[in-house]
Amino acid sequence: MKLILRADDLGISEGVNYGILKAIQDGVISCVGLMPNMESAKHGYQLIKDLDICLGQHTNICLGKPVCSPDLIPSLVNENGEFYSSHDINHRQEDTINILECELEIEAQLQRFIEITGQKPEYFEGHAVFSRNYLQALENVAARHHLFYDNPMDQQWQKQYRIQSLDFFAFDESGLYDPYQYFESQLSNIQRNECSLVVFHPGYLDQYILEHSSYTLIRPMECEFLCSQWLKDWLKHHHIEVASFRDYQ
């Protein structure tokens, strides 16, 4: 039995960067996704660059400014030249994202990733947007550059790579959940699968996150849980091996 523990949002803010660093050094995170367009992306990479971690691109088209000139990607940006929010995109009745424009921005973020890290991402996926056009653009760019495309919501992808995504968390009215109870509830799924995948958003809070993210209190809570002795003992007791996308390429 194997389990991939993925941390998203490296680069979204300095506070999150420090929390992800702790979740790698003192916890069990095996894969980290960098958001190349964000102002704190370089800061985040510098913190974790010497650690043995599988580093991917967490492509972002719903927060902050694009890497491309806004004039080239009008379907992705508002009148201020900033991305539309994920809430706005995901609640549209019609998918108005232009695939070719989206590919331009994804390509630009890939080049920014390479500029920051000196290497191609070890896996490739997207942040917070469920548009079919966006996912198609991600898949197209990944294929063009021979990148490992991570799409755990796609059953065909799960079958191809023999990686099963665990159930989504059930949030309470505070936007939190009980991670200990969650892992206990997912044990039978983990034992049944060759490899399972679960995604976290560890981090510390700063003003940017409080103003720009719906994920707030969940971040330090997950950071503490991922570093807990309980989780390390639980994985060992159930003979669950921590894996990464490197094992499936």
Side-chain angles (χ1 to χ4, degrees), residues 185-202:
S185 73
Q186 294 300 302
L187 178 59
S188 60
N189 288 336
I190 295 172
Q191 291 174 329
R192 182 169 55 248
N193 301 332
E194 176 180 333
C195 182
S196 301
L197 167 66
V198 61
V199 178
F200 296 96
H201 298 80

Side-chain angles (χ1 to χ4, degrees), residues 43-154:
H43 173 266
Y45 176 68
Q46 288 299 314
L47 289 179
I48 61 94
K49 65 183 179 68
D50 295 324
L51 302 178
D52 183 19
I53 195 74
C54 180
L55 183 64
Q57 177 168 315
H58 192 51
T59 311
N60 165 39
I61 64 160
C62 62
L63 181 63
K65 298 179 180 180
V67 177
C68 274
S69 168
D71 294 339
L72 299 175
I73 52 171
S75 72
L76 304 183
V77 296
N78 60 25
E79 63 276 7
N80 298 319
E82 297 182 343
F83 287 131
Y84 293 107
S85 71
S86 59
H87 181 272
D88 178 51
I89 298 171
N90 292 332
H91 286 81
R92 292 173 183 169
Q93 293 186 350
E94 179 183 354
D95 192 343
T96 58
I97 288 177
N98 181 284
I99 293 179
L100 293 180
E101 292 177 16
C102 199
E103 287 186 25
L104 281 177
E105 175 61 22
I106 295 169
E107 289 271 7
Q109 291 194 25
L110 174 59
Q111 293 309 309
R112 177 70 59 82
F113 182 102
I114 295 171
E115 290 171 8
I116 293 172
T117 68
Q119 64 185 38
K120 287 186 176 182
E122 295 182 82
Y123 65 96
F124 198 71
E125 45 83 31
H127 170 71
V129 170
F130 306 110
S131 151
R132 289 187 178 182
N133 290 350
Y134 172 51
L135 296 176
Q136 185 62 61
L138 279 171
E139 188 171 1
N140 292 347
V141 174
R144 190 177 302 142
H145 294 275
H146 309 289
L147 302 172
F148 182 86
Y149 179 50
D150 169 21
N151 186 12
M153 295 184 294
D154 183 350

Side-chain angles (χ1 to χ4, degrees), residues 168-184:
F168 287 113
F169 312 126
F171 295 117
D172 62 20
E173 62 278 1
S174 301
L176 297 173
Y177 69 98
D178 184 335
Y180 302 92
Q181 184 180 39
Y182 172 78
F183 263 71
E184 292 286 14

